[in-house]
Amino acid sequence: MVESYRLDDATGLDEGLRDLACQVNRAAAWSYRFSDGELHWSAGMAGLLQVDEDDSEQIRTRLLELVSPLIHSAETGQAPDSQALEEPFLTGSGEARSAFLRCSTTRYRGERCLIGIAVDAAPPLRDQRLDTDIADRYRRLIELNPDAVCVHQDGITVYVNPAGVRMMRASSPDEIVGHPITEFVAEHSRAGLFSRLSVANEPGTTTEPAEAEMIRVDGSRMLVESVAVRTSWHGRPAFQVILHDVTAQRAAEAALRYQAALVEHVSNAIIATTWDGVVTSWNPAAETIYGYSAEQARGRPVDEVVGSGIDPAALLTVGGTTEAKHRHADGSPVLVRISAAEMGNGYVLVCADETARRTAEQRYATVVSLLDEGVLIVDEGGRIVTTNPAAAAILGFQEEELLGSSPETWVTYDEDGERLPEPPSARTRHSGEPETRRVARFERRDGSSAWLAISARSLTPEDAPPHRTMVSFTDITEPRAFRKQLEREATHDPLTGLANRTMVLRRLHAAMREEGRTTPTGVMFIDLDKFKIINDSLGHVVGDEVLRVAGERLRAVMRSDEQVGRHGGDEFVVLVHDERDSGRLHALAERIRRRLTEPILVDGRHLHVDASIGIVLVPQGDPRTPEDVLRDADVAMYEAKTRGRGRVAFFDVQLRERLQRYLELEQDLRSAVDRGELWLAYQPIVNLHSNRVSGVEGLLRWTHPEHGTVSPEEFIPMAEESDLIHHIGSWVLSTAVQQVAEYRARFDLDLRVKANLSVRQLEDPGLPEAVDRALRGSGLPARALSLEITESALMHDPDTAAHMLDELRRYGVRLAIDDFGTGYSSLAQLLRLPLDSLKIDRSFINDIAHSHDSEALVTSIMAMAHAVDLGVIAEGVETPAQLAVLRRLGCDQAQGYYLGRPSPIQELPGTIEVANRRAIIE
């Protein structure tokens, strides 16, 4: 073969390789280039591999098989720069041989290469026999070794000796051989183990001895000291590990360290003496307790350094323990408890300093005697051995009477009035379990009672029962009574004494969640009608008396305080349990109403109230909360009021939906003006003398973004029940005046506009100025604006209405009374008001074409109005026949669907044209 470069001159071929190549006869060098996989070898490789020297391909194949593991390790970075291994191979004749391979990673002419040698590892026959003999002796040595010996290769155990089998508590080597070594090494020891093995790269390299925790086959653990040797197994690298069990040794060492530390760090003085009482050992605690250092104490008689005579032998004859008074080096007394024991060459004395404990006990006794809290010490037999003055005072005994007595003979009761089978102290004495502020009632000898908050603790918790027990108790009689009063005040109405809303909800919750309940609970929500008038006119004192009497009457009807409560104001709640029949619930509600409507005598005056009652049935498993139930009962009560008050109404889903719609619309109405949802529709008014449209009435409309068109009969009462009517009324007035003013100017028409005023607007002193401001802002003449007020609004407060109309008249606007005939006004009342016209309600117009009575009634109204110079307008004209009769009777103006429906201002020209055409009767 032609060599492309000399292997022995390559950079990176270390001294070891060159020396080995020179010293070994059957050796050959080789190289491998990573970039293209080119393999080179030197002379002698054919002889080593037992291949024909001219057969380069056969040499290449055999050599590549041998060095492949080295190449792979170098390529994957799993090996250091220098590697070695022994590889077996078969010659062409079938003879088994092996080669020792060693290589280094280097660079030659810029290329990364492996450069190594191959050495014939097969010794001469006589050497093989010698090796066999040595190997046999080595094997017997390993088999008989008392320490565990194992071999692992590639992380797998391949051999273990008998000692290793026993150490690992295995029944046979099969339980270890073939298993990963990590299976037997504790996780925290693995990193150190593999770190040590990684350093042993060369055959025969030995690791430093180190400790590791091993896991036996049965799962138990042991501590070993291990040494690993790099070797080979069947021609491949492996590790032989020797394990020595040091578990017992380390435990003994730890015990000795613990004992030494215990002597050094315990708080009791530990003193060792000879048989003659000479100190031989003196621990740091003894230095602290007696004030002598160990150097000062050792070699001196123990009596001298403790300041008192000690006879260990005599002490042992009486049990080995006693209490004594010793002296500190400065002469101060030291109270100690002494224990003595014999040892091999003398005595050991353990002296516990009791000075602090005795002082603490004295202080404790002083403090306990001054406590307001009663304190008792009960011995294991249940007898009182210690008491303080407070305990005697609380229980009504003398201190000497308590000593020797048993608390278990006392009479005590729980909060439900049941007698306790045993006092709280007995449970602690028998079981050791503590008691914390157990409330009980104690019956004194004089017949009085004391409520006690009792706690008990074992003084000997580590001992078996019965326990010595400390019992402490506080007299809570007065605080408990005060707390009960506060609880009642927090859950009851102070005026009526009935349960308040909090307690009503609590009772309702209990009824709804009662285990095993199969019948529904009826909930009545009661509101007193006319109570506000009494309260506002006669004062809160009278109102409170009415509420108190109403509460008494409800309690009398229901015959139980548990079923009646005051929700707040003039609202009450009644709970009716186990009643499924709605008819009987209705009858009960009517009985309640009749009882409430009876006259109430207050300050010599008989007062009358009525009640609106809403009822909800709550079945078993109802998902609603108590708050939801009361809300639904309130909804039903509100429905009863809307039916005319003094009614009973049952709740249903439709009621809730109507209320929810009402609340939603009421909230949305507050911002309807700002969102542009309100608009005005104009209905033409025809002058029946000229047969032409003389004016329009502005009618409010609401287009809701979700509900569509909302009827004025639905949303105008909402506005009147709140202050919204002022804001909306002002917007209607200014918008109507502005739009009609612009319409008049655009079409050059003398058109009048009518706008409606509510009863709430008549109470607004700023209304006249708002009207004047709207007129001046639009330029509309005052005579072109007519304000209409319903007859019922005028009759609500005639004096206020008359004053407001006079104020409006000063600004020159026209005034009309709307819906005439429905408010029961008199001619005298009409004469007092500055009116220009009246509008006959549509109810009188409906049958005018077919009923002589209706015609006569309308004739009378028109005659009365004309007699006092009032113009007459008929509304609700639906047919030509009605219009003809009105014209014949001399009616001044008319409006209705026949003449024209209300329309937006943009459509008003067409609407007026239709009205003018229909006003002409041929």
Side-chain angles (χ1 to χ4, degrees):
M1 114 175 226
V2 179
E3 296 180 1
S4 59
Y5 52 84
R6 291 182 55 80
L7 297 176
D8 55 351
D9 292 336
T11 302
L13 187 61
D14 59 23
E15 294 294 332
L17 278 172
R18 284 198 292 270
D19 291 346
L20 188 61
C22 294
Q23 295 172 11
V24 179
N25 292 329
R26 300 184 61 122
W30 58 273
S31 71
Y32 174 82
R33 190 161 59 201
F34 288 101
S35 61
D36 55 7
E38 185 174 352
L39 184 65
H40 298 272
W41 57 90
S42 66
M45 186 63 73
L48 188 149
L49 298 177
Q50 298 293 298
V51 179
D52 186 356
E53 187 173 356
D54 296 329
D55 192 348
S56 299
E57 193 59 36
Q58 183 70 9
I59 296 174
R60 181 184 301 277
T61 302
R62 292 286 182 87
L63 178 59
L64 189 59
E65 290 176 356
L66 290 176
V67 301
S68 290
L70 300 174
I71 296 172
H72 176 73
S73 297
E75 285 180 330
T76 58
Q78 298 179 0
D81 291 341
S82 178
Q83 302 182 66
L85 66 82
E86 185 176 333
E87 279 289 295
F89 66 95
L90 293 176
T91 65
S93 62
E95 179 185 0
R97 302 183 66 84
S98 63
F100 176 74
L101 303 167
R102 183 175 179 183
C103 67
S104 295
T105 304
T106 186
R107 302 190 73 83
Y108 182 73
R109 298 179 180 176
E111 297 284 349
R112 186 165 172 264
C113 304
L114 274 181
I115 298 179
I117 64 169
V119 180
D120 186 358
L125 182 58
R126 62 180 180 275
D127 294 339
Q128 291 180 3
R129 290 174 181 169
L130 179 60
D131 289 347
T132 301
D133 183 56
I134 293 174
D136 185 56
R137 294 180 184 180
Y138 178 75
R139 180 184 59 76
R140 289 198 302 271
L141 179 63
I142 293 298
E143 293 290 327
L144 298 175
N145 196 325
D147 286 331
V149 179
C150 69
V151 178
H152 62 84
Q153 186 178 60
D154 298 328
I156 304 298
T157 307
V158 295
Y159 170 79
V160 62
N161 71 339
V165 174
R166 292 191 299 271
M167 180 184 290
M168 296 300 291
R169 296 182 181 175
S171 58
S172 70
D174 294 338
E175 293 185 82
I176 301 174
V177 174
H179 292 259
I181 59 172
T182 54
E183 187 176 319
F184 306 107
V185 180
E187 185 174 356
H188 65 83
S189 296
R190 293 173 188 171
L193 172 67
F194 294 129
S195 175
R196 292 190 296 274
L197 293 179
S198 65
V199 178
N201 295 319
E202 302 293 337
T205 305
T206 304
T207 64
E208 293 294 326
E211 289 187 0
E213 186 176 21
M214 305 295 292
I215 304 174
R216 296 186 178 99
V217 172
D218 62 2
S220 61
R221 299 194 176 214
M222 64 177 175
L223 193 65
V224 300
E225 186 177 73
S226 67
V227 175
V229 181
R230 180 67 178 259
T231 184
S232 63
W233 184 263
H234 294 299
R236 295 181 56 226
F239 289 96
Q240 176 177 293
V241 184
I242 302 173
L243 304 172
H244 177 63
D245 188 354
V246 295
T247 306
Q249 177 184 342
R250 296 295 182 265
E253 292 172 355
L256 289 175
R257 288 195 300 271
Y258 172 76
Q259 292 171 3
L262 185 63
V263 171
E264 290 295 314
H265 295 94
V266 294
S267 59
N268 295 337
I270 299 178
I271 306 169
T273 71
T274 65
W275 297 113
D276 298 329
V278 176
V279 175
T280 59
S281 178
W282 185 267
N283 74 337
E287 294 180 344
T288 302
I289 293 173
Y290 293 106
Y292 293 104
S293 67
E295 290 76 12
Q296 292 173 320
R298 280 195 294 265
R300 295 175 62 181
V302 68
D303 295 352
E304 291 183 9
V305 289
V306 302
S308 178
I310 298 179
D311 187 351
L315 183 58
L316 288 171
T317 62
V318 294
T321 302
T322 189
E323 293 185 354
K325 185 176 183 180
H326 291 176
R327 292 286 176 183
H328 191 269
D330 62 7
S332 60
V334 179
L335 301 175
V336 295
R337 186 177 70 255
I338 308 171
S339 298
E342 292 184 358
M343 62 179 185
N345 55 354
Y347 298 100
V348 173
L349 303 175
V350 178
C351 303
D353 187 356
E354 298 285 295
T355 308
R357 182 179 67 83
R358 292 291 184 85
T359 303
E361 286 178 350
Q362 293 174 356
R363 292 176 180 172
Y364 169 77
T366 302
V367 171
V368 168
S369 67
L370 297 175
L371 289 176
D372 292 331
E373 184 177 16
V375 178
L376 302 174
I377 303 298
V378 181
D379 66 13
E380 295 82 353
R383 299 291 175 180
I384 298 174
V385 295
T386 303
T387 181
N388 70 337
I394 292 172
L395 300 175
F397 290 98
Q398 296 297 322
E399 288 188 59
E400 54 270 18
E401 292 179 305
L402 285 175
L403 293 174
S405 66
S406 174
E408 297 180 21
T409 63
W410 298 344
V411 179
T412 52
Y413 301 89
D414 63 18
E415 293 190 274
D416 295 327
E418 298 293 331
R419 181 167 179 173
L420 295 176
E422 61 179 11
S425 61
R427 176 173 176 270
T428 301
R429 187 172 67 85
H430 293 313
S431 67
E433 296 181 10
E435 283 278 5
T436 302
R437 294 192 66 79
R438 171 79 175 274
V439 175
R441 181 169 62 85
F442 173 76
E443 199 170 87
R444 299 189 181 100
R445 288 188 302 180
D446 61 3
S448 62
S449 295
W451 283 97
L452 307 178
I454 306 171
S455 298
R457 292 289 185 278
S458 169
L459 296 177
T460 56
E462 303 300 327
D463 298 343
H467 295 268
R468 191 178 183 88
T469 305
M470 184 183 76
V471 184
S472 62
F473 47 89
T474 305
D475 187 352
I476 60 170
T477 306
E478 290 186 7
R480 188 176 186 277
F482 182 66
R483 188 181 73 252
K484 287 289 186 182
Q485 179 63 29
L486 289 179
E487 289 177 356
R488 178 169 180 80
E489 291 177 358
T491 57
H492 287 74
D493 173 47
L495 176 63
T496 64
L498 299 174
N500 61 12
R501 184 178 185 275
T502 299
M503 180 57 75
V504 167
L505 288 171
R506 191 180 301 173
R507 289 174 178 172
L508 179 55
H509 182 272
M512 294 174 67
R513 302 296 180 264
E514 182 181 351
E515 289 290 337
R517 185 173 71 91
T518 58
T519 54
T521 295
V523 180
M524 296 185 181
F525 199 95
I526 303 169
D527 184 86
L528 299 182
D529 298 329
K530 303 178 183 177
F531 173 77
K532 187 175 186 304
I533 297 175
I534 294 174
N535 200 53
D536 292 347
S537 60
L538 301 181
H540 294 294
V541 174
V542 175
D544 288 349
E545 180 63 15
V546 171
L547 292 174
R548 189 188 63 77
V549 173
E552 288 182 352
R553 291 179 177 179
L554 287 172
R555 186 188 292 113
V557 172
M558 300 307 299
R559 300 179 182 177
S560 172
D561 288 352
E562 298 296 316
Q563 294 177 270
V564 184
R566 183 184 176 197
H567 188 263
D570 59 344
E571 297 172 337
F572 297 85
V573 176
V574 171
L575 304 182
V576 184
H577 303 295
D578 302 328
E579 181 58 76
R580 66 174 72 250
D581 188 277
S582 58
R584 284 199 289 268
L585 280 174
H586 192 282
L588 174 60
E590 289 293 347
R591 189 160 69 250
I592 290 173
R593 276 195 57 248
R594 288 194 299 271
R595 187 73 179 90
L596 291 175
T597 55
E598 294 175 6
I600 299 175
L601 182 62
V602 181
D603 294 337
R605 178 181 299 169
H606 285 88
L607 303 176
H608 297 268
V609 295
D610 204 336
S612 298
I613 303 177
I615 303 176
V616 173
L617 274 174
V618 185
Q620 180 188 19
D622 196 308
R624 291 176 291 183
T625 65
E627 290 81 0
D628 292 338
V629 171
L630 286 188
R631 178 204 62 199
D632 291 343
D634 190 14
V635 170
M637 182 276 296
Y638 183 82
E639 175 66 14
K641 280 189 177 295
T642 59
R643 294 178 185 176
R645 303 179 185 272
R647 299 287 192 276
V648 176
F650 281 82
F651 172 80
D652 57 31
V653 177
Q654 289 73 24
L655 270 180
R656 182 194 295 162
E657 291 175 350
R658 287 203 299 273
L659 179 64
Q660 288 175 343
R661 174 181 169 87
Y662 179 90
L663 293 175
E664 181 181 347
L665 290 178
E666 184 184 41
Q667 293 299 316
D668 292 346
L669 186 58
R670 297 181 182 276
S671 54
V673 171
D674 297 334
R675 292 200 300 258
E677 297 171 6
L678 297 181
W679 57 282
L680 293 179
Y682 296 93
Q683 187 173 36
I685 301 173
V686 174
N687 187 319
L688 297 182
H689 301 299
S690 64
N691 294 332
R692 302 288 295 177
V693 172
S694 60
V696 292
E697 180 178 4
L699 301 171
L700 183 60
R701 295 292 184 264
W702 183 14
T703 302
H704 192 278
E706 294 182 11
H707 300 290
T709 300
V710 182
S711 170
E713 286 76 12
E714 184 176 9
F715 74 82
I716 288 180
M718 292 179 188
E720 290 181 337
E721 289 178 5
S722 64
D723 290 336
L724 287 175
I725 193 62
H726 298 295
H727 176 58
I728 294 176
S730 176
W731 179 86
V732 169
L733 181 64
S734 60
T735 302
V737 168
Q738 184 67 38
Q739 289 182 344
V740 171
E742 293 174 357
Y743 187 88
R744 283 164 53 99
R746 179 182 178 186
F747 294 98
D748 193 21
L749 294 175
D750 184 15
L751 193 69
R752 297 177 179 178
V753 60
K754 292 183 179 291
N756 295 290
L757 296 178
S758 74
V759 63
R760 296 288 299 276
Q761 288 178 283
L762 291 178
E763 300 170 354
D764 182 9
L767 177 62
E769 292 184 6
V771 172
D772 181 57
R773 189 163 52 250
L775 291 172
R776 285 189 286 103
S778 64
L780 184 73
R783 61 179 178 79
L785 173 63
S786 178
L787 299 177
E788 295 187 352
I789 305 96
T790 62
E791 187 180 10
S792 58
L794 292 174
M795 294 304 99
H796 177 72
D797 188 352
D799 293 336
T800 300
H803 175 73
M804 179 57 69
L805 294 180
D806 286 337
E807 288 294 314
L808 292 172
R809 171 65 78 182
R810 291 176 49 227
Y811 289 94
V813 299
R814 295 176 177 271
L815 301 172
I817 182 170
D818 194 9
D819 299 334
F820 185 80
T822 61
Y824 309 104
S825 60
S826 64
L827 180 61
Q829 289 172 318
L830 293 179
L831 291 174
R832 295 176 54 233
L833 302 174
L835 299 173
D836 296 293
S837 60
L838 61 82
K839 184 180 288 185
I840 302 175
D841 187 70
R842 67 180 63 246
S843 60
F844 298 103
I845 307 300
N846 289 337
D847 297 328
I848 194 172
H850 310 290
S851 171
H852 293 293
D853 292 339
S854 296
E855 182 177 332
L857 188 57
V858 171
T859 301
S860 300
I861 294 173
M862 291 174 56
M864 180 182 66
H866 287 155
V868 292
D869 295 330
L870 293 179
V872 179
I873 306 170
E875 65 176 346
V877 178
E878 304 284 340
T879 65
Q882 293 171 342
L883 184 61
V885 172
L886 291 171
R887 189 189 302 275
R888 176 169 53 80
L889 295 179
C891 185
D892 300 309
Q893 298 180 69
Q895 70 181 98
Y897 278 8
Y898 172 69
L899 294 171
R901 292 177 174 273
S903 60
I905 189 71
Q906 298 88 345
E907 301 175 8
L908 189 56
T911 302
I912 290 178
E913 182 181 351
V914 172
N916 287 335
R917 187 169 59 252
R918 291 186 175 181
I920 300 173
I921 301 178
E922 296 183 4

